[in-house]
Amino acid sequence: MTAPAPTRLLPAVPESEPVPTLASLGPPRLLAGLDEMPRLDRVAHLARHGTPPRMSAQELVALAEDTDLRGRGGAGFPFARKLTAVLDGTRRADGKCAVVVNGSEGEPSCLKDTALLLHVPHLVLDGALLAAEALGAQEVAIGVTRQDVEDSVRRAIAERGPVRPALRVTKLTERFVTGEGTALTNGLNGGPGLPSGRKVRSSERGLNGIPTLLSNTETYAQLALAARLGALGYRTTGLPAEPGTLLLTVSGNRVVEVPYGIPLARVLALCGTDPGQGVMLGGYHGTWLSPEDAATATLSRQALAEHGAVLGAGAVLPMPHDTCVAGETVRVARWMAGESAGQCGPCVLGLPALADALAHAVRGGGSAALDVVRTRMRAVRGRGACSHPDGTARFVDSALTAFPEEFERHAHGFGCGRPVTGALPVTGHLPPTPTAAPPPPPQERLLVDWTLCRGHGLCADLVPGMVRLGPDGYPESANMPMPARMRRRAQLAVRRCPALALRIQGGN
């Protein structure tokens, strides 16, 4: 594949909430036109992309199969299988179904859905309406968590005028678990945006209790592009097995459109960075790549699987060399614990306990403290109403695996001397987490001055087990660690030594 040239787009206008800077490697598709204007309204959108075609359900399924379109929200589930499942559910539900766009993006390391809905919202609405018309859906509902995003979507809906099926956007509570399928539909139904705790497929029972096609913002935007380009046109970029482009959020503030198969190192270079100490890929339920793996990895499912990683939600978070990895991990673990839906024990109790155990270990709690962290991770896995406990445990486990020496140094009180800079972004404000306690005072030691010692042996009688005499009657060592429990006996030995050859060193 010929390496595409980098293209930089207009920087986003600063808002009260984080808004990304946009860029692309090669000609942009999803972000096309944003080098000329900050937002494509309805007229500019149609001038750039043209009118979308109408497609039957069978044609839409075939298109999704031919382009290997997969969900871009994290799981990478084949979109054609979702469509087929909803079609089957619709037949059993008297022809009723709905379409839901997940624009909640609770992952603070991701801004790609925000970028689409702020700058090219009509591309997303095109894809959602294309699916809704093919399925015969009664409604299209868009769930978001930011006020500026809601305003942009409402403006786009108004620009379209009356449409069938009806479009509506709802602002939901901003929480990490808001985007979970049942939490999202519960919130859109007017209830609390909490996971149900039951294995309910949205294709069987989703919005208003009817079969629902639920996917994220980028997936619908890709569908709208594929419908216009056709399968062959869509496949002109990317890889034969993974065609098209994808959106990545780099360092929590840059959204980049790249073709599948591009080296990760090129993406980092475009954003003015490098792998640093390692790269967190896929978001906070993702996996760390070592600097060596990040330098050679290409962005495809097959290539990343060889490193035990996935693209997930498209987050790319390099850890700078001047940042404390252990402290950053504690900070995110605390934030993840606070993002609990508050309805099951493993989240309400288990995740704060895991974060506290990790903080204790990083402050110099010793190897035993790291063992407690691993015990806490095992205690929360597979026991939540959603995947949040599993994902949080996986995040901590991945950090411990990727940076074992870093955590061992902190656990033994040596630390790294680097600050916590917020390289791993979180929403809201957290109290500063100390990365390491001051190093403990050196252990006291009992010293022997060989120039004075005459081998009386009294010290061995006064501090047995600590001072051992050699065959010649002299102490075997001149420098002996002194446990705290032996301090009084050692002081007595110092005072009673006939040759004044003993002294205590270290301590306060």
Side-chain angles (χ1 to χ4, degrees):
M1 181 184 68
T2 303
T7 302
R8 291 189 181 275
L9 306 176
L10 290 176
V13 179
E15 298 281 350
S16 58
E17 295 189 79
V19 180
T21 299
L22 308 178
S24 72
L25 274 169
R29 286 182 168 183
L30 295 170
L31 304 180
L34 295 179
D35 54 342
E36 300 173 2
M37 58 187 68
R39 180 183 183 274
L40 298 189
D41 62 14
R42 178 69 168 156
V43 173
H45 167 72
L46 291 174
R48 171 68 58 175
H49 295 287
T51 303
R54 298 177 69 91
M55 303 183 74
S56 68
Q58 290 70 29
E59 289 172 331
L60 204 61
V61 170
L63 177 67
E65 289 176 340
D66 292 342
T67 56
D68 192 31
L69 181 60
R70 292 171 180 259
R72 305 301 177 89
F77 193 80
F79 192 72
R81 288 174 59 185
K82 280 191 176 184
L83 285 168
T84 302
V86 174
L87 282 170
D88 292 341
T90 302
R91 295 188 189 102
R92 295 190 296 268
D94 299 325
K96 295 179 179 179
C97 69
V99 169
V100 165
V101 180
N102 185 356
S104 63
E105 204 162 46
E107 174 80 57
S109 59
C110 290
L111 285 173
K112 62 189 184 76
D113 294 338
T114 293
L116 289 172
L117 292 175
L118 284 178
H119 301 292
V120 287
H122 287 286
L123 202 58
V124 179
L125 297 182
D126 278 353
L129 285 170
L130 183 69
E133 291 169 2
L135 294 170
Q138 284 70 47
E139 182 182 23
V140 174
I142 304 105
V144 302
T145 57
R146 291 175 44 147
Q147 187 61 55
D148 55 347
V149 172
E150 181 190 16
D151 293 343
S152 177
V153 176
R154 287 193 184 280
R155 180 179 167 191
I157 292 173
E159 289 169 353
R160 286 176 173 257
V163 295
R164 289 293 176 189
L167 291 164
R168 71 174 169 99
V169 60
T170 302
K171 185 172 179 287
L172 306 171
T173 302
E174 186 172 1
R175 187 187 288 120
F176 188 82
V177 299
T178 298
E180 191 272 341
T182 57
L184 183 66
T185 53
N186 286 341
L188 290 172
N189 285 335
L194 302 175
S196 68
R198 300 185 299 275
K199 302 298 181 182
V200 180
R201 290 189 177 93
S202 60
S203 58
E204 298 175 357
R205 183 179 177 84
L207 192 68
N208 299 320
I210 61 176
T212 298
L213 177 67
L214 191 159
S215 203
N216 93 310
T217 299
E218 186 189 346
T219 310
Y220 288 110
Q222 293 284 359
L223 181 66
L225 280 177
R228 287 176 166 92
L229 296 172
L232 292 178
Y234 189 83
R235 285 180 166 275
T236 57
T237 191
L239 299 171
E242 298 176 54
T245 64
L246 70 151
L247 291 181
L248 302 171
T249 309
V250 181
S251 299
N253 58 11
R254 298 178 180 90
V255 170
V256 186
E257 184 176 5
V258 304
Y260 275 103
I262 202 76
L264 175 59
R266 286 209 63 201
V267 178
L268 296 175
L270 173 66
C271 296
T273 186
D274 58 35
Q277 300 176 70
V279 178
M280 165 59 71
L281 196 63
Y284 294 153
H285 286 182
T287 308
W288 283 99
L289 293 180
S290 68
E292 296 75 20
D293 287 345
T296 59
T298 56
L299 296 176
S300 73
R301 290 187 297 274
Q302 181 177 352
L304 292 175
E306 296 175 2
H307 299 291
V310 295
L311 283 168
V316 178
L317 291 165
M319 180 62 67
H321 291 288
D322 61 353
T323 298
C324 175
V325 172
E328 294 283 348
T329 304
V330 170
R331 184 169 176 267
V332 174
R334 286 197 183 281
W335 180 82
M336 297 277 272
E339 288 297 295
S340 162
Q343 62 178 354
C344 61
C347 261
V348 175
L349 302 177
L351 295 189
L354 171 59
D356 288 345
L358 183 65
H360 175 63
V362 169
R363 287 196 300 267
S367 295
L370 289 175
D371 291 337
V372 173
V373 173
R374 297 183 179 95
T375 299
R376 294 294 188 187
M377 286 192 294
R378 289 193 296 269
V380 301
R381 285 191 174 114
R383 298 180 59 215
C386 65
S387 63
H388 187 52
D390 289 5
T392 304
R394 185 164 54 249
F395 168 78
V396 174
D397 190 30
S398 179
L400 294 178
T401 302
F403 308 103
E405 295 179 357
E406 187 77 15
F407 283 94
E408 284 289 342
R409 283 197 298 269
H410 279 78
H412 288 94
F414 299 107
C416 64
R418 296 186 291 264
V420 176
T421 63
L424 301 183
V426 297
T427 54
H429 301 282
L430 289 174
T433 302
T435 61
Q443 184 180 18
E444 291 182 306
R445 308 184 75 83
L446 183 63
L447 306 183
V448 177
D449 185 340
W450 289 128
T451 64
L452 299 176
C453 181
R454 295 293 179 264
H456 293 102
L458 181 61
C459 53
D461 294 331
L462 292 173
V463 280
M466 192 169 74
V467 178
R468 293 183 174 84
L469 302 181
D472 56 3
Y474 285 81
E476 289 181 344
S477 173
N479 188 328
M480 296 157 281
M482 189 182 73
R485 68 179 186 278
M486 300 294 288
R487 194 173 198 279
R488 293 185 63 184
R489 283 180 170 272
Q491 289 174 327
L492 184 61
V494 169
R495 290 196 296 268
R496 291 190 178 181
C497 176
L500 302 178
L502 297 176
R503 66 186 178 90
I504 294 173
Q505 183 186 65
N508 294 322

